[in-house]
């Protein structure tokens, strides 16, 4: 005990490692002195309860944290780790206060947190304790918030495509010897919008299975006991919790699903939650997996002839493009970004978002899948659950909190701009140049969901009218003035104007009845 006290009294740096910072090569660990520095990690209730978090999301974070702890200890690092089942304070700030008292560090070191709320907690705790806090650039990412701020400076509009091209050039990704994009185009999105058609997807590749060993088994039991009332299930938990498992997930995706990913990345199919998607977002967002390794593997798949350019570019754009862009947006506009509500939507989130119990087949498919696995792919999130919430007029803050709670890959820096901006168009057009609004006909075109539904996607009124379609026309009518200056909305608004006053009145009345029933 005396040796431990002596070491604690002589702590040089207390290195904060959060649950989404589990890369062994983190900048926070640069120049780590194993004789004088300590890694600090803590499990606290508040991180699972500030939104009503899916059991699988809680389990993934805690299991991956414990595996990281064990690996660092094996490598000779001292890790001060606080476990929920051993008794901890309710918040990270409170636990950090106690750690400062135990170790009396000369300074605290970290890389930027993945959530403004958490970063503020740590900064305020360090300031109150009078301990200097050093926040280092996070080299897990291709860019920094400062670099994004420089990109944004002087621009009237921010658009992914321009930032993405800058990063492609800077990091020499998918470029020819003259610095031009391979294939002659920067973006192959138009080639990546196929549906499966009546024949369906056919035989899909089998997904890898990840053994729940050691800490993962302990955490699954802990979560079932401690957070049993939370949404979601644990029976099908199959997410990588170590870097080794994450790298195997990457290898399996590149080998078996990447070649077909691009063509069908926007497709939807009944009872097929995963299709050709990578399922790598949680591993990337917890930093079990290096994005540069992921991009390099995809690029090599193209150069070797294993995968077509459209698939590879579409996948790389998600990582080098969207992932970097939304992080830039988040830190550039927080904290006020969280309060944005450009469409003045005030409705509560319908109860069925927590149960999946609805007669709208597409929504029941996506929500039940979400509750079972903690997963839905980007089109399910954007054009089913997100679209319906926007058309219905749900408060975007409530939509954000649901997405943050139910998806295993959700960290606020990536989830909030995608939800508030891209999905709900609540940020006044920062993330997207137009609202992603569509009728039930879009879902019918991209899926087979409508074949199993009692509603007709082409009808806006009547007992069998699709609620998406009814609410779509009502959405355009309610926001016609607001959207009239947007050139990308011209065609949709012209179609609205073709409707007679009688038809539009009937649609508006049916939309009102829907809201009264659902909100």
């Amino acid at each position: 005990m005396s040796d431990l006290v002596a070491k604690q009294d002589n702590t040089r740096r207390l290195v904060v490692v959060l649950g989404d910072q589990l890369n062994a090569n983190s900048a926070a660990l640069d120049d780590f002195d194993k004789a004088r520095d300590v890694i600090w990690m803590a499990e606290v209730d508040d991180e699972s309860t500030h939104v009503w978090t899916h059991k699988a999301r809680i389990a993934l974070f805690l299991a991956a944290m414990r595996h990281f702890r064990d690996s660092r200890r094996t490598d000779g690092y001292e890790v001060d780790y606080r476990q929920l089942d051993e008794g901890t304070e309710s918040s990270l700030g409170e636990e950090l206060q106690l750690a400062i008292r135990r170790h009396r560090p000369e300074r605290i070191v970290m890389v930027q947190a993945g959530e403004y709320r958490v970063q503020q907690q740590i900064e305020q705790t360090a300031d109150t304790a009078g301990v200097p806090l050093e926040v280092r650039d996070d080299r897990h990412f291709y860019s920094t918030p400062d670099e994004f701020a420089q990109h944004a400076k002087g621009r009237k509009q921010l658009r992914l495509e321009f930032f993405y091209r800058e990063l492609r050039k800077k990091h020499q990704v998918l470029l020819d010897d003259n610095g031009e994009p391979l294939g002659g185009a920067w973006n192959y999105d138009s080639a990546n919008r196929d549906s499966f058609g009546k024949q369906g997807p056919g035989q899909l590749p089998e997904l890898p299975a990840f053994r729940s060993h050691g800490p993962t088994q302990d955490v699954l039991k802990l979560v079932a006991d401690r957070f049993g009332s939370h949404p979601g299930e644990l029976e099908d938990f199959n997410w990588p919790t170590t870097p080794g498992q994450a790298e195997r997930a990457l290898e399996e995706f590149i080998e078996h699903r990447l070649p077909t990913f691009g063509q069908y990345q926007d497709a939807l199919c009944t009872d097929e939650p995963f299709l050709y998607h990578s399922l790598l977002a949680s591993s990337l967002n917890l930093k079990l997996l290096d994005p540069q390794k992921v991009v390099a593997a995809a690029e090599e798949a193209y150069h070797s002839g294993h995968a077509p350019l459209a698939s590879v570019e579409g996948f790389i754009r998600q990582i080098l493009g969207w992932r970097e862009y939304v992080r830039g947006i988040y830190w550039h506009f927080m904290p006020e970004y969280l309060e944005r509500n450009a469409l003045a939507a005030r409705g509560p989130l319908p109860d069925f978002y927590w149960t999946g119990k609805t007669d709208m087949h597409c929504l029941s498919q996506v929500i039940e899948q979400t509750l079972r696995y903690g997963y839905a792919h980007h089109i399910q999130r954007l054009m089913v659950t997100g679209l319906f919430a926007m058309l219905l007029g749900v408060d975007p803050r409530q939509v954000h909190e649901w997405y943050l709670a139910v998806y295993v890959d959700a960290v606020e820096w990536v989830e909030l701009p995608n939800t508030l901006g891209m999905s709900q168009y609540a940020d006044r057009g920062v993330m997207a140049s137009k609202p992603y609004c569509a009728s039930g006909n879009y879902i019918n075109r991209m899926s087979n969901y409508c074949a199993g539904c009692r509603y007709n996607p082409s009808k806006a009124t009547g007992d069998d009218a699709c609620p998406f379609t009814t609410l779509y026309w009502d959405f355009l009518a309610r926001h016609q003035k607001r959207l009239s200056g947007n050139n990308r909305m011209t065609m949709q608004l012209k179609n609205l104007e073709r409707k007679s006053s009688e038809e539009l009145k009937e649609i508006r009345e049916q939309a009102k009845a829907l809201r009264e029933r659902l909100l």
Side-chain angles (χ1 to χ4, degrees), residues 181-282:
L182 291 176
W186 290 101
N187 186 320
Y188 289 89
D189 199 37
S190 61
N192 291 337
R193 294 173 178 164
D194 285 359
S195 65
F196 292 114
K198 293 181 179 179
Q199 74 277 8
Q203 184 68 36
L204 292 165
E206 188 173 338
L207 296 178
F210 301 107
R211 186 167 63 92
S212 296
H213 62 290
T216 305
Q217 286 283 19
D218 295 339
V219 162
L220 289 172
K221 184 178 186 307
L222 167 70
V223 172
D225 293 342
R226 192 181 186 104
F227 301 103
S229 64
H230 279 233
E233 303 171 17
L234 292 172
E235 287 77 4
D236 295 295
F237 185 90
N238 187 40
W239 298 104
T241 57
T242 67
Q245 289 182 342
E247 289 182 12
R248 185 159 71 88
L250 171 62
E251 292 168 2
E252 292 273 350
F253 168 67
I254 296 292
E255 177 65 25
H256 300 296
R257 303 195 300 285
L258 176 61
T260 316
F261 162 78
Q263 182 180 359
Y264 296 114
Q265 66 174 302
D266 288 0
L268 309 139
C269 187
T270 296
D271 296 332
E272 294 292 353
F274 306 119
L275 299 169
Y276 295 101
H277 292 276
S278 74
L279 312 184
L280 296 176
S282 63

Side-chain angles (χ1 to χ4, degrees), residues 244-470:
Q245 289 182 342
E247 289 182 12
R248 185 159 71 88
L250 171 62
E251 292 168 2
E252 292 273 350
F253 168 67
I254 296 292
E255 177 65 25
H256 300 296
R257 303 195 300 285
L258 176 61
T260 316
F261 162 78
Q263 182 180 359
Y264 296 114
Q265 66 174 302
D266 288 0
L268 309 139
C269 187
T270 296
D271 296 332
E272 294 292 353
F274 306 119
L275 299 169
Y276 295 101
H277 292 276
S278 74
L279 312 184
L280 296 176
S282 63
S283 295
L284 284 163
N285 293 349
L286 271 64
K287 300 177 189 165
L288 303 176
L289 199 55
D290 185 337
Q292 297 197 35
K293 180 179 287 189
V294 175
V295 167
E299 195 171 14
E300 174 57 29
Y302 166 69
H303 288 301
S304 68
H306 178 65
L309 182 57
S311 274
V312 170
E313 188 279 320
F315 176 64
I316 286 177
R317 185 165 8 104
Q318 291 188 344
I319 298 168
L320 181 59
W322 282 113
R323 193 167 183 266
E324 297 291 324
Y325 183 70
V326 297
R327 180 171 181 256
I329 292 287
Y330 181 82
W331 288 112
H332 193 64
F333 290 102
M334 283 295 283
E336 63 86 16
Y337 190 85
L338 182 60
E339 307 304 324
R340 293 193 178 192
N341 188 355
L343 299 179
R346 307 293 182 200
L349 188 75
D351 291 342
F352 66 74
Y353 272 72
W354 297 105
T355 66
K357 297 186 184 305
T358 172
D359 60 1
M360 291 172 275
H361 185 62
C362 60
L363 281 163
S364 68
Q365 276 280 308
V366 175
I367 295 170
E368 287 174 4
Q369 164 196 318
T370 295
L371 295 173
R372 181 175 178 183
Y373 300 108
Y375 173 81
H377 67 70
H378 66 286
I379 294 299
Q380 292 176 313
R381 300 187 201 194
L382 177 64
M383 300 305 295
V384 181
T385 50
L387 172 61
F388 191 77
M390 182 182 72
L391 298 179
L392 190 62
V394 176
D395 184 332
R397 181 72 174 261
Q398 293 194 29
V399 184
H400 147 63
E401 290 176 354
W402 184 78
Y403 276 89
L404 185 61
V406 299
Y407 291 115
V408 296
D409 52 54
V411 182
E412 194 177 80
W413 67 262
V414 66
E415 173 277 324
L416 179 62
N418 273 309
T419 302
L420 198 96
M422 183 66 71
S423 168
Q424 300 304 295
Y425 199 67
D427 67 355
R428 300 191 289 276
V430 170
M431 271 287 290
S433 58
K434 65 181 285 291
Y436 278 80
C437 56
S439 72
N441 287 322
Y442 172 85
I443 296 171
N444 190 38
R445 184 168 70 252
M446 296 305 298
S447 78
N448 62 357
Y449 288 159
C450 300
C453 189
R454 81 172 193 85
Y455 297 111
N456 184 336
S458 65
K459 293 184 67 174
T461 57
D463 291 342
D464 61 344
C466 174
F468 278 85
T469 303
T470 304

